[in-house]
Amino acid sequence: MLNTFLFKRIDNSALIVFRIIFGLLCFLESVGAIFTGWVKYTLIDPKFTFNFIGLDFLQPLPGYWMYVYYSIMGLFGLLIMVGYKYRLSIIAFTTMWTCTYLMQKASYNNHYYLLCLLSTIMLFLPANTYASVDAKLNPSIKKISMPSWCKWIFVIQLFIMYTYASVAKFYPDWLDLTVPKQLMQGKENYPIIGSGLQHPFFPYLVGYGGILYDALIIPFLLFKPTRKLAFIGSIFFHLFNSIVFGVGIFPYLALAFSLFFFEPETVKNIFLKSKTYYSQAEIKVLNYKPYLITVASIYIAIQVILPIRHHFIDDNVLWTEEGHRLSWRMMLRSKSGFATYKVVDKNTNKTTIINLNDYLSKKQKRMIATKPDVIWQFAQHLKKEFKAKGKDVSVYVNCKASVNGRPFTTLVNPQIDLTTIQWNTFNHSQWLLPSQLDK
């Protein structure tokens, strides 16, 4: 049974077409980041970036070199698309994309994380064995089939992602439409469609439509009688998200995943008309089976565990942010805040109130009042800066935050010198004051 599930040969048309679309989207994401100004205001303009804690060595290149970085990354996307030096290209893109993802948190987005995962998965897939420059230059690698695990790894990944995205919405502020209403109100000034989005119907569509879509889309795509209806629903759902919420390439990447749910012959007939269709369904158990099962089991276990880790950390994740990232908690809340950073010289007792405009971009200023890990990082940054001037200082933060429009309440204990605190990734930060969200 397991051998059939993993190693039955199936037509590889879906993977080949997905590689082409995936490479194109990687190119568009990379180059688009340059032309929309994302690279400039996220990686070039800021005086420093908030990297993932422990990865301080990952810093943007100086000057305008990040434009070159993203241009090269876009080039690798094109090489993935045409299947030239595929393995080298996908390794290079995966490395570069993951590094840029980990070096900054100011523009955290779930689809950035998803792209890291997908690029890593694509490293191990025979995606260049047809309709590629590699196959043309080296006909010996040309194939019209693939092991069935190449399909199921995508299906399982998507099932985990969408299931957690649905489950995460089962909390009061989403179910009573507080958050969906806020999301729609934020789009009021959109040209042409802004006023229409204020219709009372849209919060229900976003709120309960989002829950149902995320929970049912994978089962409905797997079940043949509902597949076409699910795909049509996906088109409307993802185009709505693309137009209204501007979530980059994710809607189009999500639609591309549909290739793995339709019959391979259908995919082949639409996109690869000249390709021979593979229908023999042989079972070829390859010698890497033990390694495949081991690596896949570990990977899936990590994907299942990461999104639930916040349940094992004190307080509400909406307040503490502990366990929020890497958990498919998509557009779940609005959070705002304001903060004052006070630096006290330990020798002279002189107090300096930090002018945040001297240090941070507009987006970064929002983060240092709402995200505890960033608050802690900025305190460490201030300590290092003053130490370079020969001063030994303490840093205190007076910070108030609001979740989903609630009254502002104090987030950080203002009596604690944050420079004395060691960051602990796996435990609750006791210097955060308790939330009132669950009362």
Side-chain angles (χ1 to χ4, degrees):
M1 185 70 174
L2 184 61
N3 287 341
T4 300
F5 179 74
L6 295 176
F7 294 107
K8 184 178 77 171
R9 306 294 297 188
I10 59 175
D11 186 88
N12 64 355
S13 296
L15 178 60
I16 301 305
V17 177
F18 182 79
R19 184 208 78 224
I20 295 170
I21 297 174
F22 179 78
L24 176 61
L25 292 176
C26 289
F27 166 75
L28 293 175
E29 180 72 22
S30 302
V31 175
I34 296 174
F35 289 103
T36 60
W38 187 94
V39 172
K40 184 177 188 297
Y41 65 71
T42 302
L43 298 170
I44 294 177
D45 288 347
K47 296 180 179 179
F48 67 97
T49 60
F50 292 103
N51 53 268
F52 276 61
I53 292 175
L55 300 176
D56 294 349
F57 61 92
L58 289 177
Q59 296 295 324
L61 299 175
Y64 293 100
W65 281 101
M66 288 307 294
Y67 286 137
V68 178
Y69 185 100
Y70 266 76
S71 298
I72 294 173
M73 198 158 59
L75 175 61
F76 283 123
L78 286 179
L79 295 179
I80 292 168
M81 181 181 74
V82 301
Y84 179 67
K85 301 290 185 183
Y86 171 76
R87 206 67 60 188
L88 175 63
S89 299
I90 191 66
I91 289 172
F93 179 85
T94 303
T95 302
M96 294 181 75
W97 180 264
T98 303
C99 285
T100 195
Y101 168 76
L102 295 174
M103 75 173 58
Q104 65 82 27
K105 291 183 288 191
S107 292
Y108 177 83
N109 193 308
N110 276 284
H111 89 253
Y112 298 161
Y113 171 51
L114 178 63
L115 199 52
C116 290
L117 298 179
L118 293 179
S119 300
T120 302
I121 290 172
M122 292 288 283
L123 281 172
F124 301 97
L125 302 183
N128 64 329
T129 56
Y130 193 87
S132 69
V133 176
D134 287 346
K136 188 173 183 63
L137 296 176
N138 183 11
S140 65
I141 70 167
K142 189 172 183 179
K143 291 182 175 62
I144 60 172
S145 68
M146 66 182 182
S148 55
W149 67 263
C150 297
K151 163 190 171 178
W152 288 109
I153 188 63
F154 286 110
V155 175
I156 293 170
Q157 176 66 73
L158 290 174
F159 180 74
I160 293 171
M161 179 185 75
Y162 279 118
T163 299
Y164 278 124
S166 178
V167 171
K169 294 179 177 68
F170 281 90
Y171 83 99
D173 288 1
W174 189 274
L175 296 176
D176 68 9
L177 300 182
T178 296
V179 176
K181 286 177 182 178
Q182 291 176 345
L183 289 172
M184 291 298 97
Q185 289 167 2
K187 312 302 177 186
E188 185 175 6
N189 295 323
Y190 266 31
I192 303 175
I193 63 172
S195 58
L197 293 174
Q198 305 313 304
H199 190 281
F201 163 76
F202 281 102
Y204 286 93
L205 176 66
V206 172
Y208 289 98
I211 290 174
L212 290 173
Y213 179 86
D214 290 341
L216 298 176
I217 185 58
I218 300 304
F220 275 27
L221 283 172
L222 286 171
F223 188 47
K224 189 173 181 179
T226 57
R227 186 172 297 149
K228 289 183 180 178
L229 180 63
F231 179 63
I232 293 171
S234 290
I235 294 175
F236 284 100
F237 179 84
H238 289 299
L239 287 181
F240 178 85
N241 283 341
S242 179
I243 295 169
V244 175
F245 297 116
V247 286
I249 65 168
F250 175 72
Y252 308 99
L253 188 59
L255 287 174
F257 286 130
S258 301
L259 291 162
F260 295 103
F261 295 90
F262 283 93
E263 295 298 328
E265 188 171 9
T266 302
V267 176
K268 176 260 176 195
N269 288 339
I270 294 174
F271 296 101
L272 301 170
K273 296 182 184 297
S274 62
K275 178 180 178 290
T276 302
Y277 176 65
Y278 177 86
S279 60
Q280 297 177 41
E282 297 176 279
I283 298 176
K284 294 183 179 179
V285 180
L286 302 175
N287 56 9
Y288 60 74
K289 176 183 175 181
Y291 305 103
L292 173 68
I293 293 175
T294 301
V295 172
S297 298
I298 294 172
Y299 176 82
I300 292 170
I302 292 172
Q303 289 299 304
V304 170
I305 292 171
L306 277 179
I308 62 173
R309 69 192 188 279
H310 68 89
H311 290 293
F312 302 93
I313 303 174
D314 291 343
D315 215 329
N316 192 309
V317 63
L318 297 173
W319 180 251
T320 68
E321 302 285 324
E322 294 165 333
H324 174 79
R325 295 189 185 95
L326 318 184
S327 298
W328 311 120
R329 301 179 60 79
M330 307 176 191
M331 294 190 298
L332 279 178
R333 49 89 174 100
S334 64
K335 199 171 183 181
S336 58
F338 53 90
T340 301
Y341 283 73
K342 181 175 70 174
V343 175
V344 179
D345 190 314
K346 291 181 179 179
N347 295 319
T348 65
N349 213 32
K350 179 182 178 182
T351 296
T352 302
I353 302 299
I354 298 299
N355 183 350
L356 299 180
N357 293 322
D358 294 337
Y359 292 86
L360 305 170
S361 69
K362 185 181 295 186
K363 181 171 284 190
Q364 287 175 325
K365 282 192 291 185
R366 291 197 294 267
M367 294 176 63
I368 53 89
T370 59
K371 301 187 183 302
D373 59 329
V374 175
I375 292 171
W376 179 87
Q377 281 180 287
F378 188 50
Q380 311 312 308
H381 176 80
L382 291 173
K383 181 177 177 64
K384 290 178 182 177
E385 182 177 89
F386 277 84
K387 185 177 181 180
K389 299 175 184 178
K391 298 180 180 181
D392 186 17
V393 301
S394 300
V395 178
Y396 300 91
V397 180
N398 189 356
C399 172
K400 294 184 182 295
S402 168
V403 177
N404 297 337
R406 289 180 174 82
F408 286 90
T409 53
T410 305
L411 174 61
V412 175
N413 187 334
Q415 305 302 318
I416 292 181
D417 174 10
L418 291 187
T419 66
T420 66
I421 301 296
Q422 294 294 316
W423 184 259
N424 192 321
T425 303
F426 302 103
N427 293 320
H428 175 58
S429 298
Q430 297 298 329
W431 46 273
L432 297 177
L433 296 178
S435 74
Q436 306 298 314
L437 302 182
D438 297 324
K439 296 182 180 181

